[in-house]
Amino acid sequence: MPAPFIIGRSSVTQVMAWVLAALLPGVGVYVWLFGPGILVTLSLATVTALAAEAAMLKARGYPAKPFLTDLSAIVTAWLLALSLPSLAPWWLIVTGTLFAIVVAKHLYGGLGQNIFNPAMVGYAVLIVSFPVQMTQWAGPLELTATPLTLAQSAMVIFGGDVPKATLDAVTMATPLDALRTGLLQQHTVDEIMTQPIFGHYGGTGFEWLAAAFLAGGLLLWALRIIGWQVPLAFLAGVWLTAGFLHFFDAGRFGAPWFHLFAPSVMLGAFFIATDPVSGATTPRGRLIFGFGAGFLTIVIRTWGGYPDGVAFAILLMNLSVPLIDQYTQPRVYGEARKGEAPRS
Amino acid sequence: MLGWSAIRFKVEGNPLAEKIDAILPQTQCGQCGFPGCRPYAEAIAKGEAEINQCPPGGEEGVKKLAELLGVEPKPLDEAHGAPKPKSVAFIDENTCIGCTLCIQACPVDAISGAAKQMHTILAAECTGCELCLPPCPVDCITMVPIPEDLPHWKWKHPVVMLKQLDREEAAT
Amino acid sequence: MSRELFKFRGGVHPPEHKAESNGRPVHPAPLPKTLVIPLRQHIGTPAKPVVEVGERVLKGQLIGAADGYISCAVHASSSGIVTAIGPAAVPHVSGLPDDCITIETDGRDEWIAHAPLDWRAMEPADLRMRLRDMGIAGLGGAVFPSAVKLDPGAARHCPTLIVNGGECEPWITCDDLLMRTRADEILAGVAIMRHLLGSTEVLVGIEDNKPEAIAAMRDAAAGLDFPVEVVPVPAVYPGGGAKQMIETLTGRQVPSGKLSTDIGIQVFNVGTAHALARAVHHGEPLIARLVTVTGHVLRPQNFEVLIGTPMHALITLAGDREGATGVLMGGPMMGVPMPSLDVPVVKATNCILVKSAELFPPLPKALPCIRCTRCADACPAELQPQELFRFAKAGDFGRAQEYHLFDCIECGCCSYVCPSHIPLVDFYRYAKSEIWAREREKRAADLARERHEFRQFRLEREKKEKAEKLAAKAQAKRAEIAADATASGAPDAEAKKALIAAALARAQAKKAEAAPKNTDNLSPETQHEIEEIETRRAKIRELAHQPLEPEEKP
C-alpha cells in the first residue's frame, strides 16, 4: 500500500458523532420546553434505523461493524425524529425511518451513494401519505395546562388508551400551521400573530429550539465539520425571500425573522442541507445549493400545499446537485483567475 | 507543418470508419475475419460486422466501440479467439533457414532479412499478430510475452473497497 | 527583515518527527563492499554504460554517460572492479529490476584526476553540459537533470532564483542538517546558479521549524557579494513543494501546464546547490548525498552516503531494531515502500524511514466517500479530489483529465484528511499510469497502422509493376508467335495478324499522344513564344511549391 502512510485523526464516525453531539442542545431544549416525549421518538427512530441498517447491510453482503459504527444511520434517525411531530404515532416513526434507511439510503447504494437526504425522504413520504398524523405536535409546556409525563408520551406514541381530552389538551398547531390556517381564513399576519403560540420571533418555545439548533450548528462550523456556505446561504435565502415578500405585503406574508426561527429552518440549514453526501461539493455550488433551498422553503411555505417547505426544498436542491457541481467547478492552482488574462 | 500534412495525407473516405479504426488496436492480425483493422472498421461502419470480433482490443475495445456507436457492449465473440497477453514474435536464429515466408506474411513489415539469410523481428514494430507463425516451414518463430519493465510498469487499481473487508474478516 | 508572505491554499499539519534525527551530527557512512549504481536515477533517458565488466574504475569516474539533452551521467562512487552491468534490484515500488552497474570496491577509494572548473570563464552552454556529465540532478526528490533547469531559455535570464530549504515532509532532516553544516557551500552553488540563470533576486525559503538552519544560512549569506534573502516560511505540508514555495514567497502561481521559468522563477533544492558547488569548485561529480535514516532504528541520524550503498548497510549503521514492518524511501506522505533492503541509495534517496507497527499503525479500512470535501479543502493544487476519485475509480480517465488530474502533485494531503480513509492518491497514480499506458498504446497502434498502410501501398505498387511487366512480356511473346505463325501460315494466322495490327496501332497512338502534333512545323517566333510561356509556367510551379512562411513573417 503506497503513500501516504499516515492519516489524520478524522473519521466518518467522528464526523457523525459531532453531528449528534451538536444536536444535543436542541434535544435538551426540546425536552425542557416541550416535554420528554421527544426522547421516546428519538429512541424508537434510533433502534429502527440500526435494525434496518443491519438488515440491509446483511442483505447486500456488506460487513455490519464498520457501517453500524459509523453512526450515519443514527444521524438520519435523529434528523427525521426531530422533524416529526413529537407525539407522532409509533408506526409513523417506524415507517419513516425504514423508508429513509432502506429505500433512500441502501437502495441507492448505501453510505455515500444516496442522492437524496434519507431523513428528508422519510419525512416527505410521511407528510404526503399521512398528513393528518403529521400534525400531532405537543405544544410548548408554558401553554399547556397538564403536560404529559414521559410515560404518558410513550402511551400516546404507542397508541395506548389515552383519553382524547388529555391529548387535545397538549397537542396544538405549530406556528407555521397557525399562520397557514389564519391566512386561509383571510386574517392578516398581524392578527394571526396575536395568538399565544407566536412568541417573539418564531413561536413560543419554538424560537428557543431554533436558537439551540443554531448554537449546535455554529459548533459544527467552529469544528470545521461543516462549511459556512450552505447554512449562511440557506438562511440568507430564507431571510431575503421572506423579507422581500413581507416588505411588499406585510399583511399576507410572515416576517423574515419568524420564518428563520420557525425551528425547521435552523435544523435544515445547519444539519440537513449540510449533509455532504447529497449536497453540492464546490464552494460556489454550496452557496447556490443553500440559497436555492432557502428560497424554495419560503416559496413552498407561502404557496405550497404544506405548512413547511424545508424538506421539499432540500430534496429539490439535492436533485440539482450534479448540475450545480458541474457548472461551479472552481479554478485550480495555476489556472488564470477570472477577469485576469492567462499569464504566459 | 501539421496543416501541411493534413492536406498532404488527407484521406478520402468514411469518417465513421476512421473513428472506429482509431479505436482498433492495429494489430492487423485478421482474427476478426477481415484482412486488417481498416477493412474491419469499414465493415463495422457499414453494419456488416459485429463490434466484438477483435480479441487484441479486448473487452475494453468492445466497450469503446459500443460507446462510439451508441450500442450495447457485448462480450467478445469466442469464435474469433480469446485475448492474450501482449507478445512479440521471436525468431530462433539457429533454426531459421531464411525462406522469407514470414517476411511476406508480416502485415507491418516488422521482419528484416533477405533470402537465405537469417531473419530478425523488429520488436518495437511487431504487433504480435502471429501471422508469421503458420507460414514458417521450420517452426522457428515463437511468441514471447512482453515482460513488464520499469518504464512500462503501471500502478494497479487500488483494492480497498468494502465487501473486500468482509472476505478478509471471514478468512481470518 | 520582513517580506510579505502569501498563503497557498490547502495543506495539512502532520506530526513533524524531526527531532528524532536532527540532533545528531552528520556521520559519513563507511565504504560498502559492493556498490550498485542504477543507470536510471533521474527523469529522462537513462545513462548509457561506458565501462565493461571486469574493468577497474576509479572514484568519480564516468561509468554511464548522459544520453540526450534530458539525461544525466552516473559515476563510480568509489574505486573498484565492475562486476556486472545489467538488471539489478532498484529502489522502486514495483520491485522490478532495472539496469545497474555493480562495482566491487577495493577499499582504496582512489579518486580519478579531477579539478575545479573555471565557471566564470566558461560558456554557459559548456558549463551546463559539464554539469550534466557530472551527474548533477535535483536532490529534492524529482531528480530532474539540473543542466536543463539551469538553461534560462529564450528569455536569456530568469529574474528570481528560489533556493528551497522547505523540507516539509515529516521525519526527513537531511536538508536541515546540510544547511546547518554546509551553508557556505550551498550558497557557493547558488552563486553559480545565479550566474547561469542571470537572476537578480535570490530567495532562500526555509520552514520556520528549522531555526538553526535559518541562522546558519543567514550567517553565510551575510558574507556574500550578492544579496540573498533568507526567508522563514510557515511550516505547512507541502510548503516545500516547488509550486507552493513559489506561491509562499512571491504570491504567484505557476500557470497550469507551464514551467516556473515561464513566470521568471526557478527553484532548486539546497542539496542540489551543494552538489553543484562540489562539482564546480572541486570537480567532484555527484557520487554522495546526505540521507536521513530514521523511524524504528536505535540512533536516527543523517549519514553522508555514497550513491550505490545498499540500504541495509545504513539501517545496520543506525542500529536496527526488532519489529520493523517495512522501509520507506522518503517520508511518510510521499515516500515509496522498498521491495527489499538490498536496493541501493540513489540520487533521489533523501530518507530511509523504517516503519514499525507502533510508529505506523496499519491504516483503517476504507469506507465509501461521503463527499465531505475535506480533501478539496486540503488540496494545495486546488483540485476537487473527490471528483477525481470518482472518475478514477470508474475508469473514466477522460473526465479525470478534464478535472485536471495531471495538476495533482501526489502530496497525499487528501488521503491524510479523508475521514473515510480512502487511499485517494493511489487512485490518482493508477489513473495517471493508465492514461500514460493508453497513450503509449495509441502511439504503437498509429505506428502499426502507418506501417501496414505503407505495406499495402507497396504491395499494390509491386502488383501493378508485376502486372505491367507480365503484360509487356506476354505481348512480346504474342508478337513472336504471330511472326512465327505468319511464317508457317498457321490456320489462325489471320486472327493473330489482326491482333498484331491492333497492338501496333495502339503503340503508335501512344507515341503520338506523347508528342504534341502541332509543334512539328512552327515558325521560330512561335517557338520562342512557347519557350517563354514554358519558363513562366516553370516559375509559377516553383513558387507554388515554396512554403508560405517567408511571407507570413512580419
Side-chain angles (χ1 to χ4, degrees), chain A residues 144-170:
Chain A
T144 10
T146 48
L148 294 179
T149 62
L150 185 62
Q152 284 172 315
S153 305
M155 284 277 279
V156 173
I157 290 169
F158 286 102
D161 195 12
V162 182
K164 195 166 183 311
T166 323
L167 198 56
D168 284 346
V170 289

Side-chain angles (χ1 to χ4, degrees), chain A residues 5 8 10 277 279 286 331 333-334, chain C residues 253 256 332 371 373 381 416-417:
Chain A
F5 297 87
S10 71
V277 175
R286 285 180 170 162
R331 149 194 185 282
Y333 175 101
Chain C
Q253 293 193 338
S256 184
R371 295 163 38 99
T373 66
Y416 184 79
V417 297

Side-chain angles (χ1 to χ4, degrees), chain B residues 120-142:
Chain B
T120 335
I121 307 274
L122 308 172
E125 263 96 59
C126 176
T127 63
C129 69
E130 306 189 349
L131 288 181
C132 52
L133 299 187
C136 180
V138 290
D139 282 343
C140 72
I141 310 178
T142 44

Side-chain angles (χ1 to χ4, degrees), chain C residues 429-481:
Chain C
R429 292 193 184 111
Y430 156 72
K432 284 182 187 175
S433 71
E434 279 300 320
I435 292 169
W436 283 323
R438 264 151 226 225
E439 274 169 11
R440 272 201 303 273
E441 264 164 35
K442 180 97 182 47
R443 276 198 298 273
D446 286 346
L447 178 72
R449 182 186 295 116
E450 208 173 281
R451 289 182 74 87
H452 182 64
E453 272 166 13
F454 179 73
R455 183 185 138 92
Q456 301 292 92
F457 167 73
R458 179 173 61 81
L459 289 180
E460 202 62 30
R461 192 187 61 200
E462 276 168 9
K463 211 156 85 190
K464 216 187 259 164
E465 279 170 5
K466 216 171 190 177
E468 268 164 28
K469 242 188 224 160
L470 275 177
K473 236 184 196 168
Q475 200 173 318
K477 188 98 183 180
R478 270 194 225 110
E480 212 173 85
I481 293 169

